[in-house]
Structure formats: C-alpha cells, structure tokens
Amino acid sequence: MGCCCGWGMLRFHGISSSSSAALSSLMLPLSLSLSLFHSSSLQFSSNSHSSSSSSFSSQVVVALQDQQQQKPQLRSSQLVALEYADLNLSYNLDLGHVRIRQHVNPLSSSFAAPAQVPDWNQVFADPALPLMVDIGCGSGRFLMWLAKRTPKVRNYLGLEIRQKMVKRAEVWVKDLALDNIHFLFANAPISFKLLVESYPGPLQLVSILCPDPHFKKKYHKRRVLQKPLVGAILDNLTPGGQVFIQSDVLEVAQDMRNQLDEVDALGHIDDLNPKLCDSEGWLLSNPMGIRTEREIHAESEGAKIYRRLYQKKMLTDLSKYTCS
C-alpha cells in the first residue's frame, strides 16, 4: 500500500525540535555576527589607511557567506513537522515500542480478509457528505490536515494496510476531536469496493499518493492499482468526481497513468486546462494545498513528483460510451 514516508523501517519517535527552534537554528547567531565584525575591524585598522572601506565590507560579506554555507540543513523529519505544525499533534503517545515495516505483501493470506464495514453514522457526524478516500494513507496527517480545514463539507476515509499506523492515527483524530475523518486497517484492493458501496453519500475523490513501488518485476502484481481496483473506483465515483495519483518513482507513476488513461470515462485535467501541466502531461504543482510526508522527504532529496488528476465525465458525456 502507499505511504507518505521513506521505505525501509520506521520507528515511532518524538520530534526533537519544535518549529520555532528549527527555524531559529537557521539564523546567524548575534554573537557570531559581532565576532565577525570585530575581527574584520581589527584587520582593517592594522592595514594602512590606503585600504578602502569597500575592502572591509567585502571581508564581512565573505565571512557571513562562509557561515551561511555551514549552517545546518533541516532533516526531512523536521520539514514534515513544520508542514504539519498547525495540527499540534502529540508525539508522546502511549503505544510502547513500535516498529513498522514499510514493505508488506498485500497478497499474503494475512491480508486476505475484507475490512469490516463500519457504522457510518457512528464514525461520521454527517455520513451524507461527499467522501474522499485516501488509499495507503500512511500516518494519516495528510488527511487530518484536509479534514480540519473542511468540516461539514466533506468526509475523509483513510485506508492503510499497516495496522499500527492506523492505531496511532486513531489516537490523533481523537485528540483533534474531528468528526469528519476515519481510518481503517484495510487491504484496499480487497476492501475498497465493499466499503464505498456501503457509504450513504457520494464518492467524490480518490487519492493514491506515493504507493509502495515494489520495484522488482515479479512483485509488480503487488502494486495497489490494478484493473479490479480501477474498475471499483470508476463504478462508484460520482460524475464529476476526481482521482488524484502521484509518485516520486517515474515507473510507478507511469504505470498508474497508463491504467487510468485507458478509461474512456475519465478525463485528465490537461484536457480542460493544459496550462496546469508540463509538456509531458504531469501536473506542475500539488492541487491539494498540502504535501504528503513521502512527498516532503522526496523533494528534500531533490526528487521530482509525478502527478495526474482525473475527473469522471458527466452523464451527458458518458452517453456515447453506452450501448444503443
């Protein structure tokens, strides 16, 4: 399943520095500025009076530039904390020592059972609202950020195959007191259809963001987006509803793109507004207003994010695809 973190092994841990501390670490300390100015002044006074003031200024500028080049760079985990700082999440959770394996085999028998359909009236304050489903939601912070900004407008459902991440997300949602978001431990290819067909409101948006790449060719069958899931999304997506995909791995992004491009009932955003995309049809920016954790990690390392946004055609547009 998709995730918003790096691949390998993750460990739940606290963020060592706050947003303000992280930002202040980038600033040149006052004492250092003064010492640089003082040392430069001494050098200036020891020279003959023929030394120009411009020489003094250039020495100070060079010294400051040298210091700025040596300033510590924020780690990607700190960048994530900054991006989601306004959620004010607690990282001192009583979950014990938790290790999460990023790569899991979704075809394993341990993930074969479909998720239990929740009582939508219990998990959402208004289950008639339009629904967004994030497949492979990872830690869930991406969805929480969206849910906090759109109360009474849309409900959010995060599906994640790693149960320990779901448990942590549930604690955060309770602390945030949000009533328009819910997380489920689920293998999306198996559970998606059952879940969305039972939901009382319209399915408005489906996102698959930086899913596990499963690089080896023999493992491509483990990738989350396969034809059955594409069909389930299309069958349940309301006309005008959207599908948003992205990956920092071009091969994975291209694989998802190829599958969705084949669906006649889906139109890509570049068909409506080509200015939103580059010459190869990838979105120029993230349309969601917030980056996922994996997106932040990847971009901090200089990687490109490949994005596509599709929209289901309206019923009048679909008439030409039906049998007479």
Side-chain angles (χ1 to χ4, degrees):
M1 299 295 294
C3 64
C4 299
C5 308
W7 302 303
M9 298 295 294
L10 277 185
R11 190 188 301 268
F12 285 166
H13 58 281
I15 301 299
S16 59
S17 60
S18 64
S19 301
S20 58
L23 289 174
S24 63
S25 67
L26 296 178
M27 299 174 65
L28 183 67
L30 178 61
S31 60
L32 180 56
S33 300
L34 291 176
S35 66
L36 287 170
F37 178 82
H38 180 64
S39 62
S40 299
S41 300
L42 289 177
Q43 183 177 356
F44 173 71
S45 61
S46 64
N47 292 336
S48 63
H49 291 288
S50 62
S51 299
S52 65
S53 59
S54 61
S55 176
F56 162 71
S57 300
S58 64
Q59 292 170 14
V60 174
V61 170
V62 169
L64 290 173
Q65 289 176 341
D66 289 343
Q67 171 60 24
Q68 289 175 346
Q69 290 175 357
Q70 296 174 7
K71 67 185 179 184
Q73 297 296 318
L74 289 178
R75 298 190 300 272
S76 59
S77 59
Q78 293 173 309
L79 293 173
V80 170
L82 286 172
E83 191 111 356
Y84 291 97
D86 64 341
L87 288 178
N88 295 317
L89 298 175
S90 172
Y91 296 92
N92 298 318
L93 304 179
D94 186 19
L95 295 174
H97 182 70
V98 182
R99 290 172 64 88
I100 300 176
R101 183 171 295 278
Q102 288 287 10
H103 285 299
V104 298
N105 179 8
L107 302 181
S108 170
S109 59
S110 57
F111 300 116
Q116 183 176 356
V117 175
D119 182 343
W120 300 113
N121 290 291
Q122 292 293 322
V123 299
F124 294 129
D126 182 2
L129 290 177
L131 179 68
M132 172 183 177
V133 179
D134 186 27
I135 296 176
C137 61
S139 74
R141 282 185 276 195
F142 169 74
L143 274 193
M144 293 176 210
W145 190 92
L146 294 174
K148 186 177 179 180
R149 277 155 180 74
T150 57
K152 305 184 185 304
V153 174
R154 181 187 286 169
N155 288 330
Y156 296 86
L157 178 64
L159 304 183
E160 176 54 50
I161 200 170
R162 292 158 298 175
Q163 192 168 20
K164 293 176 182 178
M165 298 200 83
V166 173
K167 289 181 178 180
R168 183 175 66 171
E170 289 173 339
V171 174
W172 278 338
V173 168
K174 184 177 180 181
D175 288 344
L176 292 172
L178 297 174
D179 60 9
N180 63 335
I181 185 170
H182 185 63
F183 292 95
L184 277 176
F185 165 56
N187 188 351
I190 293 176
S191 301
F192 178 87
K193 181 179 175 66
L194 178 67
L195 292 169
V196 297
E197 285 183 348
S198 68
Y199 181 73
L203 177 62
Q204 189 179 64
L205 177 60
V206 177
S207 59
I208 306 176
L209 311 178
C210 299
D212 289 343
H214 297 292
F215 290 107
K216 294 182 179 180
K217 187 173 181 179
K218 65 178 180 179
Y219 292 150
H220 286 185
K221 60 186 177 182
R222 297 181 181 180
R223 290 179 177 175
V224 63
L225 192 61
Q226 307 286 345
K227 285 188 176 181
L229 182 56
V230 172
I233 292 173
L234 183 63
D235 290 344
N236 291 279
L237 193 65
T238 188
Q242 296 176 322
V243 181
F244 177 44
I245 60 169
Q246 75 176 22
S247 177
D248 56 304
V249 180
L250 177 58
E251 179 192 346
V252 174
Q254 192 66 61
D255 181 31
M256 293 191 291
R257 174 178 179 168
N258 290 341
Q259 294 190 61
L260 296 176
D261 281 355
E262 291 178 355
V263 180
D264 290 334
L266 291 177
H268 188 258
I269 196 67
D270 62 0
D271 297 330
L272 304 175
N273 191 344
K275 293 182 180 180
L276 297 177
C277 302
D278 63 19
S279 59
E280 297 180 347
W282 302 108
L283 284 174
L284 293 172
S285 61
N286 187 327
M288 302 303 295
I290 185 73
R291 295 182 296 169
T292 67
E293 292 173 50
R294 176 60 200 170
E295 192 174 351
I296 297 169
H297 288 303
E299 289 189 330
S300 71
E301 297 172 355
K304 178 179 178 179
I305 307 298
Y306 302 91
R307 308 179 181 94
R308 295 274 287 176
L309 179 63
Y310 296 85
Q311 182 168 311
K312 186 174 181 179
K313 298 174 182 177
M314 304 302 289
L315 293 177
T316 53
D317 299 326
L318 293 174
S319 60
K320 61 183 177 180
Y321 302 116
T322 59
C323 297
S324 57

